[in-house]
Amino acid sequence: MFKDLFRKQRRYATIPSEKAKKEVPEGVIEKCPSCGTILIAKELEKNLKVCKSCSYHFPMSAQERIQSIVDVGRFFEYDPDLLSEDPLSFPNYPEKLAQDKEKTNLNEAVVTGEGTIGGYPAVIGVMDPRFRMGSMGSVVGEKITRAAERATMKRYPFLLFSASGGARMQEGVLSLMQMAKTSAAIEKMNRNKVLFVSILTNPTTGGVSASFASLGDINIAEPGALIGFAGRRVIEQTVRQRLPEGFQTAEFLLKHGQLDMVCSRLELRDTLIKILEFHA
Amino acid sequence: MITNGYLSFEKPLVELRAKIAELEKFMQDKSIDLSDEIAILEKKAEKLEKEIYGNLTTWQKVQIARHTSRPTTLYYIKSIFTDFMELRGDRLYRDDQSIIGGIAKLDGRPVTIIGQERGTDTKDKIARNFGLPHPEGYRKALRLMQQANKFGRPIITFIDTQGAFPGIEAEERGQSEAIARNLREMAGFTVPIICVVTGEGGSGGALAIGVGNRLLMLEHAYYSVITPEGAAAILWRDASKAQEAAEALKITSADLKALGVIDEIVPEPKGGAHRNPEQQAAFIKKAIVKHLNSLLKLTPDELLEDRYQKYAQIGNYLEPSKGSR
């Protein structure tokens, strides 16, 4: 690379001493990408992965999210064995699925189930952004549809935490149709007057924001979450102008009337319990 | 890529046809009998035509679907229906001309029509934003569909868009919400809904008027979760690999039929809809009438359930505890 020509050459290599390695084992500390503060991982976890100094919300795995919301030990998972296939024989798709399964310890990008929150029963869905960017293919669509159908049947409120880059390209038009399928299931819930609360977390974009995630009776977002239909780059290339400050953030959407509230993760469980109590 | 309305892969055929025309003129002018030669060339042309149009690659189909002379929604509305009355505006913000809608009669029966309209000449195209709707376009469509549902009119939609407009104001006014709401509401209507993909089926922006009891697709139309160019940019960081991406995404009418997404492929005249728009309109009408007649036998509840089941069944996954599907 041309750039390399100008890079400062390091004269000495630094070899971390054995002692230094032992003092800070991997995963003990984490640096906040927003304010740069060094945080103790255990404390960060205790604080629901919210930075103590700037309130930046770190990404949460599906497992962590469920733990942070559901009453201890009160979660029963639905359809854990639904597995993606490769309907289009898309280049490298099976390998990517296998990698993400190993990385996340999940079978797919959403975990659904039922549990109690503050004693109130609810059907819960949680998307995990680490699995194929939380994208929606056939399995994600089917699991969310089944969860919505069970919520309708049992007349339990449905709480859905979105975190997704959108429809999954590798399953082509089948992914696109999951938008219609999930929205039809939400329609059935709506017609049967069952509560649907959509919690939009970072990021909720594309086909997920343009289907169930925008359809809550109440739409809540986490602070700073990226939420939008089209990607920034696509918009920039189309309109050829700079995007306004804070474009497509939760706060931007709140200001433009697309959300009911932006709620800190530290207050989210209490807020949800309050909502459940109102609708009990 | 396009010369005189012909696409580059059509060149050998165009040249052969020109040669035949030349010979015919020569024969007339000089009174020399060349009919044997012409007959041989005609046969050759027919064979070539079959070869070219019978084996179109995905990318060639995309080129036909995007052809500048391809008939647009307004043409189909005027040739398939009678008494079209355009109804405008979303009652909230403005009238988005990239989506056109209104009421008309299909063989005497009142129906509501919605469709993306990309425009015909430059001025018209700009006024219609090249068929890329803003949220207010989808909200107009929703208003007209709710009206149709109220008065028991079947809904016919024509899908032809590269996608929903990716712009600052579109995001501010809730492009996501507008699309999402249409998906939900269309799932809940109790009138027959027939959707026809006539050209480009561009992702969520197409689907937002595309939740129907029946989904029909023109032979050379395409329907995709992402444009081939967009997919190529993500996959290989190279938009020029769009041809490969188009193949990989499985976006042709035959692909969608095989995947169980569409109900019927509407044939196109040889070379594409633009070669014979009148015939194309007749083909579309025939398919719409056939499906509408079968849907009109269903009760409102059955129509709702029929549509729900159609989408519930789309998807491909393994479920070891219950077997694959």
Side-chain angles (χ1 to χ4, degrees), chain A residues 81 83 146 149 209 230 248, chain B residues 171 176 308 316 318-319 321:
Chain A
D81 69 336
L83 301 171
R146 289 189 188 181
E149 283 174 346
S209 101
Q248 290 185 327
Chain B
E171 296 286 325
S176 286
Y308 191 86
N316 180 286
L318 278 170
E319 191 170 17
S321 56

Side-chain angles (χ1 to χ4, degrees), chain B residues 161-175:
Chain B
T161 184
Q162 285 219 340
F165 186 67
I168 295 170
E169 284 111 11
E171 296 286 325
E172 287 176 343
R173 295 199 286 272
Q175 189 72 283

Side-chain angles (χ1 to χ4, degrees), chain B residues 236-279:
Chain B
W236 300 293
R237 308 209 173 279
D238 183 0
S240 66
K241 287 196 172 162
Q243 305 198 21
E244 286 168 58
E247 296 283 346
L249 285 165
K250 307 267 193 303
I251 57 177
T252 68
S253 57
D255 293 328
L256 267 77
K257 189 82 179 27
L259 290 167
V261 173
I262 61 166
D263 299 281
E264 188 175 329
I265 299 171
V266 180
E268 292 199 23
K270 237 176 241 157
H274 60 287
R275 294 273 164 239
N276 194 341
E278 226 171 285
Q279 192 184 26

Side-chain angles (χ1 to χ4, degrees), chain B:
Chain B
M1 206 86 79
I2 298 167
T3 46
N4 299 327
Y6 285 99
L7 299 161
S8 52
F9 60 85
E10 296 175 291
K11 205 176 155 207
L13 184 65
V14 176
E15 283 171 353
L16 192 58
R17 287 259 178 245
K19 200 168 170 192
I20 293 169
E22 204 178 295
L23 283 180
E24 273 170 346
K25 190 166 179 292
F26 190 77
M27 190 167 90
Q28 268 182 3
D29 291 352
K30 311 270 171 164
S31 321
I32 305 167
D33 186 18
L34 293 168
S35 50
D36 284 356
E37 283 84 348
I38 290 173
I40 290 166
L41 287 179
E42 273 290 357
K43 256 200 179 145
K44 209 173 150 190
E46 262 170 50
K47 203 178 145 219
L48 192 61
E49 203 169 56
K50 245 188 206 160
E51 260 172 42
I52 292 177
Y53 296 129
N55 300 300
L56 290 173
T57 65
T58 302
W59 188 246
Q60 287 168 342
K61 282 173 185 262
V62 169
Q63 285 175 284
I64 294 176
R66 289 175 174 171
H67 199 287
T68 46
S69 323
R70 192 168 175 87
T72 60
T73 298
L74 254 176
Y75 176 82
Y76 291 131
I77 291 177
K78 284 173 182 160
S79 14
I80 295 170
F81 306 89
T82 59
D83 308 289
F84 176 61
M85 183 186 283
E86 187 181 356
L87 302 175
R88 297 173 58 166
D90 66 346
R91 301 295 188 271
L92 296 163
Y93 183 71
R94 80 173 175 131
D95 182 45
D96 183 347
Q97 279 291 289
S98 64
I99 287 191
I100 190 162
I103 43 182
K105 287 181 181 167
L106 176 63
D107 290 340
R109 168 185 297 277
V111 295
T112 284
I113 309 169
I114 314 277
Q116 283 111 356
E117 171 57 48
R118 52 174 71 224
T120 39
D121 57 47
T122 307
K123 206 177 142 198
D124 190 31
K125 279 179 182 167
I126 291 168
R128 298 188 182 281
N129 200 30
F130 300 86
L132 309 176
H134 278 74
E136 48 271 24
Y138 295 117
R139 289 175 181 139
K140 167 166 78 175
L142 180 60
R143 182 178 76 82
L144 297 180
M145 291 191 283
Q146 284 168 334
Q147 188 190 68
N149 194 52
K150 175 176 175 181
F151 296 109
R153 280 194 292 268
I155 299 167
I156 317 282
T157 75
F158 292 94
I159 295 166
D160 185 17
T161 184
Q162 285 219 340
F165 186 67
I168 295 170
E169 284 111 11
E171 296 286 325
E172 287 176 343
R173 295 199 286 272
Q175 189 72 283
S176 286
E177 194 274 348
I179 294 170
R181 183 183 292 262
N182 279 17
L183 302 183
R184 186 184 77 187
E185 296 302 306
M186 285 186 91
F189 292 143
T190 51
V191 294
I193 305 176
I194 297 174
C195 309
V196 191
V197 186
T198 58
E200 292 187 271
S203 196
L207 186 65
I209 58 165
V211 183
N213 296 85
R214 297 286 184 275
L215 181 55
L216 318 179
M217 192 164 163
L218 264 55
E219 192 181 346
H220 303 318
Y222 81 86
Y223 201 173
S224 179
V225 69
I226 182 169
T227 59
E229 288 82 358
I234 293 173
L235 278 174
W236 300 293
R237 308 209 173 279
D238 183 0
S240 66
K241 287 196 172 162
Q243 305 198 21
E244 286 168 58
E247 296 283 346
L249 285 165
K250 307 267 193 303
I251 57 177
T252 68
S253 57
D255 293 328
L256 267 77
K257 189 82 179 27
L259 290 167
V261 173
I262 61 166
D263 299 281
E264 188 175 329
I265 299 171
V266 180
E268 292 199 23
K270 237 176 241 157
H274 60 287
R275 294 273 164 239
N276 194 341
E278 226 171 285
Q279 192 184 26
Q280 185 65 73
F283 287 162
I284 296 174
K285 183 175 178 178
K286 195 177 153 205
I288 291 176
V289 168
K290 181 182 95 182
H291 288 286
L292 186 58
N293 283 337
S294 80
L295 290 173
L296 284 167
K297 293 186 184 115
L298 304 181
T299 65
D301 283 348
E302 285 169 343
L303 284 166
L304 195 73
E305 189 57 22
D306 170 82
R307 206 175 311 120
Y308 191 86
Q309 288 307 328
K310 174 179 167 62
Y311 289 92
Q313 274 150 28
I314 298 178
N316 180 286
Y317 51 81
L318 278 170
E319 191 170 17
S321 56
K322 288 181 193 160
S324 158
R325 73 164 242 191

